[in-house]
Amino acid sequence: MCGRYAASRSPEELAGIFEIERWEPEEALEPDWNVAPTKDVHAVLDRPLKGDPRSRPVRQLRRLRWGLVPSWARTPEGAARMINARAETVHEKPSYRRAFAARRCLLPADGYYEWATGPEERELEVEGRRKRPRKQPYFVTPADGSVLAMAGLYEFWRDRTLPDEHPRAWWATCSVITTEAESTPLAVAPAAGPTCLADIHPRMPLMLTPDRWDAWLDPTHTRRDQLAPLLEPPPAGLMRAYPVSTAVSSVRGNGPELIEELDAPEAGTLF
């Protein structure tokens, strides 16, 4: 899954990486090393400019809230639970299928955090027999230091309790698409710990490599046969993972120290 990530690149950096044509200074966000659900995040998307719906799609850097609210929802109360959409079912789930067909985005990150336990304890958790007694956070990031472009969906929701001119009359929200975690060896693995992403968690964000960005963002691609190939996992061996401080487990923690590699896991030996 993806429940927390780091995003420290500036709008100027992101504009260069993703060939962004338009971004508004008032929508710029400060670096955040502990992005949690319901926070505002940067998203890359292709759509007509505001106020000109008939213009050509323009690549933009927009500010969205993490936790998708479907356009048909009566209230936004379920947003905090809709932070991830499964690649295997995103085309058919009522909450996601419209956005999947027409409103896809990229969510730029330095990497994401995942909490691990030993194999036996995790097996019990998957079976629902008990929760994780020991949690060690790992930071998962591209081994070459490049941006992690997570596949995402976005939606617009109108709060009918507010007048049109109210700044919160419209909500722009998003969700991260996840896929089955890789069972192939990591590009760089910790000396003592997981050897693949599946050792840490059975799910991972769907990372899109640069050759897929244009097709994913293209709003004219609406058919499932056009989009299904883009949901395939990325090539294996692109990621590294290493243990980080348990300080990231608190949403109050923030700062570049959260992604610093530890010599040994704080939660002890799990693998």
Side-chain angles (χ1 to χ4, degrees), residues 110-146:
D110 304 330
Y112 70 97
Y113 301 100
E114 195 55 79
W115 282 256
T117 60
E120 293 181 1
E121 294 170 342
R122 185 154 58 86
E123 184 176 344
L124 290 173
E125 184 192 27
V126 170
E127 295 173 359
R129 292 165 59 185
R130 71 174 182 180
K131 295 182 179 179
R132 295 178 180 177
R134 295 183 299 160
K135 299 180 182 180
Q136 171 59 51
Y138 282 82
F139 189 60
V140 182
T141 185
D144 62 1
S146 61

Side-chain angles (χ1 to χ4, degrees), residues 67-82 94-96 98 103 155-161 169-171 173:
L68 190 136
V69 180
S71 59
W72 44 261
R74 292 185 178 182
T75 72
E77 293 178 358
R81 298 189 301 273
M82 298 182 66
S95 296
Y96 301 119
R98 291 182 183 176
R103 288 177 290 279
E155 269 287 15
F156 296 103
W157 180 78
R158 175 69 167 89
D159 186 346
R160 298 297 177 184
T161 67
W170 283 95
W171 291 40
T173 62

Side-chain angles (χ1 to χ4, degrees), residues 84-223:
N84 292 160
R86 295 174 68 94
E88 299 87 344
T89 58
V90 67
H91 65 283
E92 61 186 10
K93 292 292 184 180
S95 296
Y96 301 119
R97 62 190 180 197
R98 291 182 183 176
F100 176 61
R103 288 177 290 279
R104 297 176 302 277
C105 63
L106 296 172
L107 300 169
D110 304 330
Y112 70 97
Y113 301 100
E114 195 55 79
W115 282 256
T117 60
E120 293 181 1
E121 294 170 342
R122 185 154 58 86
E123 184 176 344
L124 290 173
E125 184 192 27
V126 170
E127 295 173 359
R129 292 165 59 185
R130 71 174 182 180
K131 295 182 179 179
R132 295 178 180 177
R134 295 183 299 160
K135 299 180 182 180
Q136 171 59 51
Y138 282 82
F139 189 60
V140 182
T141 185
D144 62 1
S146 61
V147 67
L148 173 62
M150 300 184 293
L153 309 173
Y154 68 97
E155 269 287 15
F156 296 103
W157 180 78
R158 175 69 167 89
D159 186 346
R160 298 297 177 184
T161 67
L162 299 174
D164 289 342
E165 64 274 11
H166 196 283
R168 295 297 295 174
W170 283 95
W171 291 40
T173 62
C174 62
S175 184
V176 176
I177 295 179
T178 67
T179 189
E180 185 176 350
E182 293 177 359
S183 57
T184 50
L186 289 160
V188 181
T195 60
C196 65
L197 293 179
D199 285 346
I200 304 173
H201 194 277
R203 306 289 297 178
M204 69 177 191
L206 177 61
M207 172 187 176
L208 293 181
T209 49
D211 59 302
R212 298 183 181 185
W213 292 353
D214 289 346
W216 179 256
L217 295 175
D218 189 341
T220 67
H221 291 175
T222 60
R223 301 194 317 271

